[in-house]
Amino acid sequence: MLTLDVQNVVVGEITAVLDEDVADDLGDVTAETELSALGLNSLAFARLIIRLESKVGVDPFGDGEGEGFVTLRTVGALVQAYEQALRARKEA
């Protein structure tokens, strides 16, 4: 089984959503980039989460437990949420 580079997938999908919605050039999106600085409105963020679920194959927010995506502050935190969900799926 191939190892999925979650960070590259997350950054790629953020870039794709931003290209659809935002004309501003935000520069490089890194793990330290604040999600609030990306300029994603709620619809664009929802679209991002749907795209990530499709690409990564897990939904780290779908169980309804915990605080979910509301507590995420950075791209790195979003990456970690997907990595944790992947690990949990492998352990199940």
Side-chain angles (χ1 to χ4, degrees), residues 22-41:
V22 180
D24 297 338
D25 180 17
L26 296 174
D28 290 336
V29 176
T30 68
E32 293 79 29
T33 301
E34 294 281 332
L35 291 171
S36 61
L38 295 174
L40 295 170
N41 62 31

Side-chain angles (χ1 to χ4, degrees), residues 37-89:
L38 295 174
L40 295 170
N41 62 31
S42 59
L43 180 59
F45 189 75
R47 200 165 59 241
L48 171 64
I49 297 303
I50 291 167
R51 290 174 69 125
L52 288 171
E53 181 180 352
S54 175
K55 291 276 184 165
V56 179
V58 294
D59 178 6
F61 314 111
D63 64 5
E65 295 182 18
E67 297 177 36
F69 60 83
V70 175
T71 61
L72 299 176
R73 299 288 178 243
T74 65
V75 172
L78 185 59
V79 169
Q80 286 179 341
Y82 280 92
E83 289 174 338
Q84 289 173 351
L86 282 170
R87 278 193 300 276
R89 184 179 71 185

Side-chain angles (χ1 to χ4, degrees), residues 6-30:
V6 177
Q7 179 149 345
N8 281 341
V9 171
V10 170
V11 170
E13 292 305 313
I14 287 172
T15 302
V17 169
L18 289 175
D19 285 346
E20 294 171 8
D21 291 335
V22 180
D24 297 338
D25 180 17
L26 296 174
D28 290 336
V29 176
T30 68

